[in-house]
Amino acid sequence: MAESWNPTVRWSRPEHEREGTDLLVFLHGYGANEHDLFPLSQYLPQRYTVASVRAPMAMEFGGVVQGYTWFPLAQDMGSDPALVYQATVDLQSWVAAQRSQFRSVSLLGFSMGMVMATSLLRMEPTAYDRIVGLSGFVINIDPDSPAIRYPVDDALRSLFHDDEVAFARPKVFWGRDPQDPIIPVEQVDYARSWLSDHVELTAEEYSGVGHGIHPNEIQDVARFLEQSPHAGE
């Protein structure tokens, strides 16, 4: 990715109507695009301006783009830490460039998008009003953990300020199906442990949805976002 990454973004408001609203950045999952999560915006508090961001790497099969990913995945769901680092830094830079015109910034990530959302939070622990993670997990940076699937190096580890996250206790919503067939159990266990130790966590489970989003989950996310201190302003 270029240093000045300029992603494709689907916005819920035209540019002249965004000033002073609350920004909610949608971060889609592996193989999806900026349209995948966008329909959720109609069910969320309308004081938010939604920016649904397309991941930077096209996934091609037979010369046809089938979707996008934030970074490549191997068959074992591992990835090159340098590519994870670059994706995180580039996304953080883009979000930071939007911040001045909005009252607050929140993030909503599905699956790999939750990895990106929590990684941005770990870079800037006090920069986000609310974080929503759906059917996803958190990158494990513990060098002694046998559960690591996303290998880390010193550069990637240096991005994260987990002690500052634990001090700030940002508000995070985590929704998932306990029988999700996609996310490995060790990743779920690490996410549960990390989130419990570092954030003010609202965790909900929704049986029967698999690796998806339950209608009741959308309602719970809407309530979580509505509890922001900016509501009613």
Side-chain angles (χ1 to χ4, degrees):
M1 284 175 285
E3 291 183 7
S4 55
W5 180 48
N6 186 25
T8 296
V9 181
R10 183 174 177 183
W11 292 90
S12 64
R13 280 187 173 92
E15 187 170 3
H16 68 275
E17 295 180 5
R18 298 172 196 165
E19 186 75 31
T21 63
D22 298 293
L23 176 62
L24 178 59
V25 180
F26 281 4
L27 304 170
H28 65 74
Y30 181 76
N33 59 35
E34 71 276 15
H35 306 300
D36 186 55
L37 296 174
F38 195 81
L40 299 182
S41 60
Q42 64 186 304
Y43 303 108
L44 303 180
Q46 292 305 297
R47 63 188 177 80
Y48 286 98
T49 293
V50 169
S52 190
V53 181
R54 178 194 293 177
M57 295 186 176
M59 300 169 61
E60 293 189 9
F61 299 94
V64 178
V65 175
Q66 301 290 333
Y68 297 85
T69 183
W70 297 99
F71 45 83
L73 287 181
Q75 277 194 324
D76 65 354
M77 293 185 68
S79 189
D80 182 338
L83 297 177
V84 179
Y85 174 98
Q86 194 62 54
T88 305
V89 168
D90 286 351
L91 179 60
Q92 188 275 341
S93 295
W94 181 83
V95 173
Q98 314 309 309
R99 190 179 302 280
S100 62
Q101 65 177 314
F102 295 99
R103 181 171 51 180
S104 70
V105 180
S106 297
L107 306 173
L108 183 154
F110 174 80
S111 193
M112 185 187 277
M114 178 177 171
V115 172
M116 299 304 296
T118 53
S119 294
L120 264 59
L121 175 66
R122 296 164 87 175
M123 283 186 70
E124 294 190 288
T126 62
Y128 300 100
D129 186 33
R130 303 264 151 164
I131 303 290
V132 176
L134 308 177
S135 301
F137 58 98
V138 178
I139 290 179
N140 186 345
I141 63 171
D142 181 356
D144 299 319
S145 173
I148 287 181
R149 287 175 182 251
Y150 285 64
V152 295
D153 59 13
D154 289 343
L156 180 58
R157 195 175 286 111
S158 71
L159 286 182
F160 298 149
H161 306 290
D162 287 359
D163 289 346
E164 294 178 28
V165 179
F167 181 80
R169 287 281 167 178
K171 293 178 170 58
V172 176
F173 179 98
W174 184 33
R176 57 179 296 271
D177 183 343
Q179 303 302 318
D180 187 326
I182 301 298
I183 307 301
V185 64
E186 63 266 27
Q187 299 286 34
V188 173
D189 290 344
Y190 180 81
R192 183 182 294 110
S193 174
W194 188 90
L195 291 166
S196 298
D197 289 345
H198 292 84
V199 308
E200 184 177 323
L201 178 63
T202 300
E204 301 290 349
E205 294 185 341
Y206 306 89
S207 296
V209 73
H211 193 63
I213 300 175
H214 196 282
N216 292 345
E217 190 172 10
I218 300 172
Q219 296 176 11
D220 290 341
V221 169
R223 280 192 289 269
F224 174 77
L225 293 173
E226 194 57 68
Q227 292 167 2
S228 163
H230 300 291
E233 292 183 5

